Amino acid sequence: PNVGSARCRNKEDGFNPRVNLSYQIDDDRMVYAQVARGFRLGGTNEPVPVPACSADLTSRGLPNAPDSFKSDHLWNYEVGAKTDWLDRRLTINVAAYKIKWRNPQVTDQLGCGFNVYVNAGGLDINGGELEAIVRPAEGLTLRGGAGYTDSTLTEDLVFVGGREGDRAPYIPRWSYNASIDYTHPLTERLEGFVFLNYQNTGGRNTRFNPTVAANRYLPSYGSLNGRIGVNAERWSVELFAENLTNERGELDRRYNPYPITAATYVTVVTPRTVGLELTVRY
């Protein structure tokens, strides 16, 4: 097949400045603002056979297979506050951010079986985070947090069927977490501890446009993890369990029509895992 013989070379450079301003209101409260730029190099695509893939390329808005894809960059604008209250028994931290991501690199598999990278016009990302920490008694710490992210295309992206305003795939709108951490002296040299953590990831789609046939919806899921053990000056031992409820949270779901028998492939979180860990410090 005709896959082309010309070599493609890319040469790019980037500049990533970062500016952070903060103001200490008093010993327990401060506010801040920061601006930062990120940069990622572009790259080359694998050669694509023209006869076999031309129709699929045309249907995706490409006259031919691009030899390469450009670098992408983003500007991140963030403001927030870190505060302590009630003689530092309560901590509340908040942050809000806006990210303008230009030329994000997007990849997809053509119907002929080849992967191609292209650049989307841009993504606008708005979000916020809230964290609360409570210390109601000596050795006991309670934490809770929530995050919100809204990431949308700034213009149509025919290559993957995306439309202006579509939300970015695999990015949940909401996420939550909570934990309990308790330590208590057992003897003069030994300290016992218990830690329990829960994390929830919201539902998300696998495609920009949720109405396209290739899209799969990934439902929200939660993960409960725990640790219990003993600390000494030079060693520690702990029993840990991850995904205690054996949640079958889906990380990805793809339909592949190309094998002899077409199938849907699902990637899930690690199943319930229990283990014992011994640490020696010397």
Side-chain angles (χ1 to χ4, degrees):
N2 177 19
V3 296
S5 58
R7 291 185 300 175
C8 180
R9 295 181 179 179
N10 286 342
K11 181 179 180 180
E12 296 179 289
D13 54 61
F15 176 58
N16 296 326
R18 180 174 180 267
V19 177
N20 184 291
L21 300 174
S22 62
Y23 176 68
Q24 193 77 34
I25 300 173
D26 53 35
D27 290 342
D28 295 328
R29 285 168 281 276
M30 62 90 71
V31 293
Y32 70 90
Q34 71 172 4
V35 179
R37 186 182 190 272
F39 169 85
R40 181 171 56 171
L41 286 171
T44 58
N45 281 309
E46 61 181 333
V48 174
V50 175
C53 299
S54 59
D56 198 19
L57 288 167
T58 301
S59 69
R60 290 169 177 261
L62 298 175
N64 49 57
D67 294 325
S68 62
F69 51 96
K70 299 183 294 185
S71 62
D72 55 359
H73 69 274
L74 58 81
W75 281 99
N76 175 47
Y77 308 89
E78 181 178 343
V79 295
K82 298 180 182 294
T83 65
D84 287 317
W85 308 85
L86 304 177
D87 197 24
R88 302 193 176 183
R89 290 193 298 271
L90 171 64
T91 296
I92 297 179
N93 301 323
V94 294
Y97 58 85
K98 182 178 184 64
I99 300 174
K100 301 186 75 66
W101 192 354
R102 294 302 169 252
N103 297 322
Q105 299 164 11
V106 178
T107 184
D108 198 16
Q109 187 178 58
L110 301 175
C112 57
F114 285 79
N115 289 314
V116 173
Y117 281 85
V118 301
N119 293 93
L123 285 170
D124 281 347
I125 306 170
N126 300 293
E129 297 176 348
L130 170 65
E131 178 187 39
I133 306 172
V134 182
R135 306 172 186 86
E138 184 176 354
L140 178 62
T141 302
L142 310 177
R143 296 175 183 266
Y148 172 81
T149 304
D150 182 37
S151 176
T152 57
L153 273 175
T154 60
E155 58 185 68
D156 293 348
L157 181 58
V158 178
F159 179 67
V160 292
R163 307 160 301 183
E164 180 181 354
D166 282 345
R167 295 181 55 223
Y170 299 102
I171 306 297
R173 192 183 293 270
W174 289 98
S175 60
Y176 308 93
N177 67 83
S179 68
I180 301 174
D181 190 356
Y182 181 64
T183 61
H184 185 74
L186 301 176
T187 68
E188 291 184 358
R189 297 184 178 183
L190 297 180
E191 179 185 68
F193 65 88
V194 177
F195 177 76
L196 195 64
N197 167 262
Y198 176 78
Q199 295 178 316
N200 182 274
T201 300
R204 57 255 185 257
N205 291 297
T206 62
R207 296 281 175 156
F208 282 103
N209 184 350
T211 65
V212 300
N215 179 66
R216 297 294 183 269
Y217 178 73
L218 307 176
S220 63
Y221 69 91
S223 179
L224 183 64
N225 313 290
R227 292 176 177 265
I228 183 170
V230 176
N231 278 326
E233 182 179 353
R234 300 188 61 180
W235 59 268
S236 64
V237 61
E238 63 179 52
L239 177 68
F240 67 86
E242 299 178 358
N243 194 6
L244 270 164
T245 57
N246 206 28
E247 184 82 8
R248 193 175 180 274
E250 295 185 9
L251 301 176
D252 198 5
R253 176 182 285 265
R254 295 176 182 268
Y255 175 71
N256 189 346
Y258 306 116
I260 296 176
T261 302
T264 296
Y265 296 87
V266 181
T267 304
V268 299
V269 298
T270 303
R272 182 190 297 119
T273 303
V274 179
L276 184 68
E277 183 175 304
L278 174 64
T279 303
V280 178
R281 294 174 285 274
Y282 57 90

